[in-house]
């Protein structure tokens, strides 16, 4: 699943890709992965998992993530927004 996302991908498609990543990497039920789901309290990720997720996002976008790009990410919707921002660079 290392295919780089196209810049014109929809947010819905980004969310679907994140569901696949979170399920495949962390065994999280895709039904729980909603834009409002909090990565830490709702999905049970920890700081190490967040680093793994950031690496997955880098692979999805083909772009390096600066720490400030991922620092304020708290929800799945934040991740979608970060991916969108990276794709629009």
């Amino acid at each position: 699943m290392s295919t780089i996302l196209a810049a014109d991908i929809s947010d819905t498609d980004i969310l679907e890709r994140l569901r696949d990543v979170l399920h495949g990497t962390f065994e999280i039920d895709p039904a729980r992965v909603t834009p409002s789901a909090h990565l830490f309290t709702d999905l049970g990720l920890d700081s190490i998992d967040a680093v793994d997720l950031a690496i997955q996002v880098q692979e999805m976008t083909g772009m390096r993530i600066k720490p400030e790009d991922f620092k304020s990410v708290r929800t799945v919707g934040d991740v979608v927004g970060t991916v969108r921002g990276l794709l629009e660079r």
Side-chain angles (χ1 to χ4, degrees), residues 5-20 33-35 60-61 76-88:
L5 301 176
D8 62 350
I9 190 170
S10 71
D11 287 355
T12 301
D13 289 336
I14 294 171
L15 178 61
E16 283 303 314
R17 179 65 71 89
L18 286 173
R19 282 184 175 127
D20 291 343
V33 182
T34 63
M60 280 194 283
T61 62
V76 171
D78 294 339
V79 178
V80 171
T82 299
V83 170
R84 167 71 47 225
L86 290 169
L87 293 173
E88 290 176 350

Side-chain angles (χ1 to χ4, degrees), residues 7-52:
D8 62 350
I9 190 170
S10 71
D11 287 355
T12 301
D13 289 336
I14 294 171
L15 178 61
E16 283 303 314
R17 179 65 71 89
L18 286 173
R19 282 184 175 127
D20 291 343
V21 166
L22 291 167
H23 178 70
T25 306
F26 306 109
E27 299 180 3
I28 295 171
D29 179 358
R32 294 177 51 211
V33 182
T34 63
S36 62
H38 193 280
L39 296 172
F40 306 108
T41 58
D42 295 332
L43 301 181
L45 299 185
D46 61 26
S47 58
I48 302 291
D49 296 334
V51 171
D52 290 341

